[in-house]
Amino acid sequence: LLATILVYSSNDVQDGPGMCVCDVVHTPQAADEMHTPSGLNNNKMHSNKIAIARAGAVGPLVQLLRAGDIEGKTRATEALINLSTNSKNMQKCMLRAGVVEPLVQLLRDGDATGRTRAAEAVRVLAGTACNQASIVRAGAVEPLVHSLKDGEDAEKLEAAGALGALASNSHNQTLILQAGAIEPLMELLRAGNAEGKSQAAGALACLSESENENNKRLIARAGAVELLVQLLRTGTDEGKSRAVRALINLSDNNTDAATQMTQAGVVKPLVEFLRIGDAAVKTVAAQALHVLARIHRNQAIMHRAGAVAPLVHLLSTGEASGKREAAGALQVLTINNRNRTEVLRLGAVEPLVQLLTTGDDVGKTSAAGVLVNISKNNNSAMLSVVRAGAIEPLVQLLRSGPVEGKTRAAEVLQILAGNNHLAIMRAGAVEPLLQLLRTGDAAGKAQASGTLRYLAVDNRGQVIVRRAGAVEPLVHLLRTGEVEGRIGAVQALIQLSENNNNKIWVARAGAIEPLVHLLKSGDAQGKSRAAEALSLLSRNERNQVAIARTGAVDPLVHLLRFGDADGKSQAARALHTLAHANSNNQMAISRAGAIEPLVELLKGGDSDGKMRATEALITLSDNNNNKVALERLGAVDALVQLLKSGDVPGRIKAAEALQVLACNSYNQVEIVRAGALEPLVQMLKTADAAGKSLAAGTLQILASNTQNQPTMMHAGAVEPLVHMLQVQA
């Protein structure tokens, strides 16, 4: 710069007595003395800035900029640049003195040197949103774009820098693009000198740094991606850094641009930056890889390019910002199984846990996200995470982290809870989980309910979670939550309801009504889980009555008819518990038409469905009318088939059901006719003690009918029965 006597300083010039008052600069020669090496300020540095400002130089310099000849305007601009650089107070003083309009006028009608200095002044003054608005309102954008198109090299460079400085918000970015800045920026990026390319990349980075996706698409379609990737390979360090920032902005939420970048070969130089760049370059390279890795196919490309190892190294040894960005990139990369394996092999667990303790909110959240990915379905990784001491910082993140951080912490704790639920509860996780359940966003509430479910895996956990006050907010989430939250709530309530006392608390909290509502209106999973919860709750006699009164029977029968396999099985299970030792419910279930679909499930369901249907039919057979209906609908043949070909629990239930149905002579004959003797005799030979006893009891009832006795002798029942007597003796 020409004005070397006003040396750049990072310290603000403070307003002082006389500032912008005294008129000491009236001529081009006086202005020249303020920026030439032989002038007033030579070697006096920052103190001379203050002295000149306090002497009142700004006003007459602005007046000279407004009314002087070309040389005077240019020299006044240079002096103003030096006075205002790194000084917000001085910039405010200049704006109050009216510097913007004459600067814009110089941009329009100055010579090449004047336009260049005016563009530089705009760049310096555009340090605040207020200043930018004043400059844009004064019409600076159009002449700056004109300089960018048709100016000399130095003028283009400064125009690009000024436009980048003005492009701090979506409104200004759109104005600059509408004025035609993209094409000349592309040309400068393509054919400019090293500094020109760097300034063009910086301007593009600023122009694409917004939520305006259309602007990003316009820049990408103009060919910016390929040119920026080229600059990434061949530019100066500053040019490379600016190119990376522009590429990050262009690819954020823009799959096409990200794909272009990958196809242009951006991954390899980014990985190289991770290895050999300085701290700032490593950080921005990690940030770029983070954005690109959101496209699934790029994760494998980055694995092949060797990105994981330098990211883990940056996570271990980098500065705070580098560790944060490395964790962010690894969070996305570890969606890929090979990358997960590599991260674990390289020993990332300990630095991730360290980042959980020492990082900022973003870093902690990303670290928790990586731990989610590497621990899921990997017992060895879970053990490593626990041994590295992750539980306490995860609980702390759950207490005091940002919304997403709390959700990720809860997710990791859910994964770890299988063998560590007591340790997690001792670390104090239950209270912040309940707080997240009450006050979190939809995802946080759903995750909190899921983690509480896994903490309540045994009786002790169920009591602790219930006593902490989990039931009421879970029921509230069941009533008011989104789909995922309602599913999480009902699953947690199912787990809590495994405890007999908790069944009472869950019902008292009002869970039955929203469970029945979910049974009626939920999706397939919701209906199945609601039926499962109602099945558990109805094991309590009072709940059994309340559930029936709330109208659960009809939607359970509907689910039994039209649900998926799990839905049908859970509906049958719920009908079984509702009907148990309750004649009123048995009649209500029969009137609702449950017997026919139960028999159909017995005939055509999966193994669990057949067993659940059998249990329900056994319970409903307490009513003699239902026994008749069962025989009429073909239940005997279906039960005999299950007795022959079902799994062990299914065969046991089939034998039990046949024993119940063999209460009258007609059914006794029908059971034998359907072929029950052979599998019952086989049970006598091969089942466990309980199974043998059940088979013997059923055969005893069948043998009470004289028509069956010859057939039983022929079936070979006597020998195993005698053997049972000998063993018992």
Side-chain angles (χ1 to χ4, degrees):
L1 296 175
L2 295 175
T4 55
I5 59 167
L6 293 169
V7 180
Y8 287 4
S9 169
S10 62
N11 298 320
D12 283 355
V13 178
Q14 301 297 319
D15 289 333
M19 185 173 286
C20 299
V21 177
C22 301
D23 295 336
V24 297
V25 180
H26 299 282
T27 66
Q29 290 75 20
D32 194 38
E33 287 181 355
M34 299 178 66
H35 73 264
T36 57
S38 59
L40 175 66
N41 287 11
N42 192 27
N43 298 323
K44 291 188 178 180
M45 303 178 69
H46 180 56
S47 61
N48 287 349
K49 280 189 177 185
I50 298 174
I52 292 170
R54 287 178 174 170
V58 171
L61 281 169
V62 172
Q63 181 59 29
L64 183 59
L65 176 61
R66 183 179 289 113
D69 59 15
I70 292 298
E71 182 183 8
K73 291 178 179 179
T74 301
R75 292 178 178 177
T77 303
E78 291 169 340
L80 289 167
I81 290 168
N82 288 338
L83 281 171
S84 61
T85 298
N86 297 323
S87 174
K88 295 291 189 296
N89 287 332
M90 186 66 74
Q91 292 167 14
K92 291 177 183 177
C93 182
M94 291 179 184
L95 261 73
R96 288 198 300 267
V99 72
V100 172
E101 288 76 9
L103 270 180
V104 172
Q105 192 60 40
L106 184 59
L107 281 173
R108 288 195 177 100
D109 56 23
D111 60 12
T113 302
R115 293 194 301 270
T116 302
R117 295 285 75 80
E120 183 182 1
V122 167
R123 175 177 58 79
V124 171
L125 290 171
T128 68
C130 180
N131 292 0
Q132 294 158 15
S134 298
I135 293 167
V136 170
R137 279 197 304 270
V141 170
E142 184 180 347
L144 283 170
V145 172
H146 187 269
S147 291
L148 187 64
K149 289 179 179 177
D150 300 324
E152 297 179 359
D153 288 348
E155 185 179 349
K156 290 179 179 180
L157 188 151
E158 292 296 345
L163 289 169
L166 292 174
S168 65
N169 62 64
S170 181
H171 173 72
N172 289 356
Q173 292 159 3
T174 300
L175 285 178
I176 292 168
L177 295 182
Q178 288 175 345
I182 294 179
E183 183 179 343
L185 282 172
M186 292 300 104
E187 184 59 30
L188 184 59
L189 190 59
R190 184 181 297 109
N193 59 25
E195 181 59 23
K197 290 179 178 180
S198 176
Q199 288 290 355
L204 290 170
C206 294
L207 286 167
S208 57
E209 195 170 33
S210 78
E211 300 300 320
N212 192 320
E213 300 301 323
N214 185 56
N215 289 351
K216 295 179 184 181
R217 284 192 292 270
L218 289 173
I219 294 170
R221 288 171 184 168
V225 171
E226 292 81 358
L227 294 172
L228 288 166
V229 173
Q230 182 63 30
L231 182 61
L232 200 59
R233 296 192 183 98
T234 62
T236 63
D237 288 346
E238 186 175 30
K240 291 176 180 179
S241 179
R242 289 172 172 172
V244 173
R245 294 186 188 281
L247 290 167
I248 290 171
N249 294 340
L250 289 173
S251 59
D252 192 22
N253 297 319
N254 188 329
T255 302
D256 290 340
T259 301
Q260 279 184 281
M261 290 167 59
T262 307
Q263 292 172 343
V266 73
V267 173
K268 187 175 181 180
L270 287 174
V271 173
E272 189 65 18
F273 290 167
L274 280 177
R275 293 194 177 102
I276 64 173
D278 60 19
V281 169
K282 288 180 178 179
T283 298
V284 77
Q287 186 182 1
L289 290 170
H290 180 190
V291 173
L292 290 173
R294 294 171 187 166
I295 298 177
H296 184 73
R297 60 179 173 273
N298 287 349
Q299 296 163 12
I301 293 172
M302 291 178 190
H303 179 86
R304 291 193 295 270
V308 173
L311 282 169
V312 172
H313 187 264
L314 181 60
L315 180 70
S316 303
T317 63
E319 296 180 353
S321 59
K323 291 180 178 180
R324 179 187 65 233
E325 296 301 337
L330 290 170
Q331 181 180 359
V332 184
L333 283 172
T334 49
I335 295 171
N336 177 282
N337 185 56
R338 295 178 67 187
N339 289 336
R340 286 197 296 273
T341 303
E342 184 78 355
V343 165
L344 286 167
R345 184 185 67 80
L346 291 167
V349 170
E350 288 193 9
L352 285 167
V353 174
Q354 183 64 26
L355 186 59
L356 275 178
T357 304
T358 61
D360 60 13
D361 283 348
V362 175
K364 290 177 180 178
T365 301
S366 295
V370 181
L371 292 175
V372 168
N373 293 340
I374 64 177
S375 301
K376 197 175 293 183
N377 301 319
N378 188 323
N379 291 330
S380 175
M382 292 181 208
L383 183 60
S384 297
V385 171
V386 173
R387 286 178 175 173
I391 289 176
E392 288 192 7
L394 284 168
V395 172
Q396 185 58 39
L397 181 59
L398 188 62
R399 284 196 186 100
S400 58
V403 173
E404 185 181 355
K406 291 178 179 180
T407 303
R408 294 287 78 76
E411 189 173 1
V412 184
L413 291 171
Q414 176 179 322
I415 293 168
L416 300 179
N419 295 318
N420 303 286
H421 66 288
L422 293 177
I424 291 169
M425 287 191 287
R426 282 195 298 269
V430 174
E431 182 184 345
L433 281 170
L434 292 180
Q435 185 65 21
L436 182 60
L437 182 63
R438 294 185 183 104
T439 64
D441 61 8
K445 289 179 178 180
Q447 186 57 60
S449 65
T451 306
L452 288 167
R453 169 195 175 193
Y454 281 90
L455 293 180
V457 292
D458 58 16
N459 187 66
R460 184 176 177 184
Q462 290 154 8
V463 172
I464 290 172
V465 171
R466 192 266 297 167
R467 286 179 176 173
V471 173
E472 289 77 7
L474 283 170
V475 172
H476 182 72
L477 181 60
L478 179 62
R479 289 182 184 276
T480 63
E482 297 180 2
V483 173
E484 188 177 357
R486 294 167 73 192
I487 296 296
V490 72
Q491 288 176 323
L493 290 169
I494 287 169
Q495 197 67 50
L496 288 171
S497 297
E498 293 285 352
N499 177 283
N500 287 331
N501 288 333
N502 286 355
K503 291 179 175 67
I504 299 170
W505 287 94
V506 170
R508 284 178 180 173
I512 292 174
E513 182 183 345
L515 283 170
V516 172
H517 179 73
L518 182 61
L519 183 65
K520 293 176 179 177
S521 61
D523 60 11
Q525 185 185 14
K527 291 178 178 179
S528 296
R529 298 289 72 77
E532 183 180 2
L534 290 168
S535 172
L536 284 168
L537 292 176
S538 61
R539 293 176 187 174
N540 175 277
E541 186 175 345
R542 288 187 178 181
N543 292 350
Q544 193 182 49
V545 173
I547 290 168
R549 286 178 177 173
T550 309
V553 172
D554 285 341
L556 283 170
V557 173
H558 187 272
L559 181 61
L560 185 64
R561 289 182 183 277
F562 303 109
D564 60 16
D566 183 49
K568 290 178 179 180
S569 177
Q570 295 301 338
R573 180 184 179 190
L575 290 169
H576 160 61
T577 54
L578 280 173
H580 180 70
N582 188 311
S583 59
N584 290 332
N585 285 357
Q586 291 168 10
M587 288 188 290
I589 292 168
S590 177
R591 285 196 300 269
I595 292 177
E596 181 179 354
L598 282 170
V599 173
E600 289 302 315
L601 182 60
L602 177 61
K603 292 177 179 178
D606 60 17
S607 59
D608 187 65
K610 289 178 179 180
M611 188 177 72
R612 299 300 183 189
T614 305
E615 289 174 338
L617 291 171
I618 290 170
T619 306
L620 291 171
S621 296
D622 289 347
N623 183 295
N624 288 327
N625 291 331
N626 291 342
K627 290 177 183 175
V628 174
L630 286 171
E631 191 281 326
R632 178 174 54 80
L633 291 167
V636 169
D637 288 338
L639 286 168
V640 171
Q641 185 60 39
L642 180 60
L643 187 65
K644 291 178 177 179
S645 60
D647 56 16
V648 173
R651 292 199 299 271
I652 294 295
K653 286 297 177 185
E656 184 180 350
L658 289 170
Q659 188 177 101
V660 171
L661 289 176
C663 62
N664 62 62
S665 57
Y666 178 80
N667 284 352
Q668 292 163 4
V669 173
E670 286 300 308
I671 291 169
V672 171
R673 180 198 58 75
L677 292 181
E678 182 180 345
L680 284 170
V681 170
Q682 187 64 28
M683 282 184 68
L684 282 177
K685 296 176 180 179
T686 61
D688 60 14
K692 289 177 179 178
S693 177
L694 179 62
T698 305
L699 288 169
Q700 178 188 359
I701 296 173
L702 294 175
S704 66
N705 188 307
T706 57
Q707 295 183 55
N708 293 336
Q709 293 169 2
T711 310
M712 291 178 66
M713 294 291 292
H714 181 72
V718 174
E719 183 179 345
L721 285 169
V722 172
H723 181 70
M724 281 184 67
L725 287 173
Q726 291 172 341
V727 170
Q728 291 174 2

